[in-house]
Amino acid sequence: MAIIERSVTYFSEGDRLAGVVYLPAESQGPVPGVVLCHGFTAIKELILPDYGRAFAEAGFAALAFDYRGFGESEGPRGRLIARRQIDDIRNSVTFIGTLPEVDPQRIGLWGTSYGAANVIVAAAEDPRVKCVTAQVGFADGGRRSRERPPAETAPMRAMIEEERKKRVLTNEPTMVEPLQLLSDPETVAFFMEARKSLPALSQPISMEFLESTMEHRPIEAAAKLAGCPLLVVAAELDTLTPAADSEALYDAANEPKRLVILPGIRHYEIYSGEPLRRSSAEAVAWFKAHLA
């Protein structure tokens, strides 16, 4: 199916967001809409075009966007804070519903990695969201720290406390290279390669990210989806957001729900080749079942 790609802008909490809408070129009346929500420091040009085009080819309108402070969107640079991103998602739901090609009563959310955690919380808060796909996400951003001996986490907790004081006294958050905070070899390799064509991915982020992530508990929101259909997609060999987290999210949610674990792949391998095709096909089928 032929598709149309259109650049758009709209506002979230006073800042202009930049996005791209993917539309089926031929449709009979308004179609369901899906808001695509990215992960850690990512921008709309990375990965999302593959999913946006897959959804448009299946008859959906899809909106990819840059969170405030990232990519082409306005706002203080690099403030990767879950609450801000969830507000951006909800404002994106409002925006996609204003498009004449979209039925505002049939809007879903698709999120990957950090975005998977965000869409679960956004859907639990916003009854306009009628369906969710959460891919390679985490269940509780602070669980690993809480499970470690207090002596091991004391330096990090002290650093977070000092950073909190600095922000209120100076209004100057400490900015760091993102790969200093997520420094596992797979993440470093993935982003260093992606930065060759997308240098905006080098945007420093504020240390607030640590505190925000430790307080981010989508598993609590999953239990509050109140019948909003949830598809959870995991990568079997994922060490960044283990499949066990996806299983926990699935267990916490009410029906209708579905859990898909893609065998033999790691976190970033879901974004190319057969895993990309399978993950997009699973999401398309889920949205067709619950939004069409």
Side-chain angles (χ1 to χ4, degrees), residues 22-268:
Y22 300 86
L23 297 164
E26 299 177 6
S27 61
Q28 301 295 321
V31 300
V34 179
V35 178
L36 310 183
C37 307
H38 225 322
F40 176 74
T41 73
I43 56 178
K44 63 186 180 301
E45 292 82 7
L46 179 68
I47 297 162
L48 297 189
D50 293 324
Y51 288 94
R53 290 164 187 152
F55 292 142
E57 289 171 356
F60 298 92
L63 169 64
F65 70 97
D66 291 329
Y67 293 113
R68 278 178 287 167
F70 291 90
E72 296 179 316
S73 289
E74 295 178 345
R77 307 313 294 173
R79 293 193 68 200
L80 203 171
I81 300 170
R83 183 68 260 168
R84 287 171 59 86
Q85 294 193 339
I86 291 162
D87 289 343
D88 290 346
I89 292 168
R90 297 186 63 179
N91 288 320
S92 297
V93 168
T94 301
F95 173 74
I96 198 173
T98 69
L99 300 177
E101 300 92 344
V102 174
D103 180 351
Q105 302 304 314
R106 294 186 290 163
I107 295 176
L109 297 178
W110 176 96
T112 192
S113 197
Y114 207 91
N118 289 344
V119 296
I120 292 173
V121 177
E125 295 177 353
D126 196 331
R128 298 174 300 169
V129 177
K130 298 302 192 294
C131 188
V132 179
T133 295
Q135 171 177 291
V136 292
F138 59 85
D140 182 340
R143 177 183 59 81
R144 293 185 187 183
S145 294
R146 293 195 303 273
E147 291 176 350
R148 292 167 60 189
E152 289 186 12
T153 60
M156 181 176 64
R157 287 185 281 110
M159 181 175 60
I160 289 173
E161 179 61 24
E162 288 304 310
E163 175 63 18
R164 187 185 293 128
K165 293 175 182 177
K166 179 186 177 186
R167 290 198 307 271
V168 301
L169 293 174
T170 70
N171 196 32
E172 295 180 359
T174 300
M175 307 300 290
V176 297
E177 153 67 53
L179 298 181
Q180 288 182 310
L181 300 183
L182 231 60
S183 58
D184 63 282
E186 291 178 59
T187 297
V188 171
F190 177 83
F191 277 96
M192 292 304 291
E193 180 62 29
R195 287 177 180 183
K196 293 177 182 178
S197 57
L198 297 171
L201 290 168
S202 299
Q203 166 68 54
I205 63 173
S206 70
M207 289 289 290
E208 295 167 279
F209 166 75
L210 290 176
E211 182 178 0
S212 173
T213 300
M214 290 178 67
E215 295 174 352
H216 200 2
R217 300 185 179 96
I219 193 166
E220 295 178 359
K224 301 174 184 177
L225 285 173
C228 179
L230 174 65
L231 168 65
V232 182
V233 181
E236 181 188 20
L237 306 181
D238 195 335
T239 56
L240 186 63
T241 55
D245 277 38
S246 291
E247 292 171 334
L249 289 168
Y250 173 82
D251 290 341
N254 297 309
E255 296 285 352
K257 60 183 178 178
R258 173 171 164 78
L259 172 65
V260 176
I261 300 178
L262 302 186
I265 66 166
R266 304 177 76 84
H267 187 87
Y268 295 102

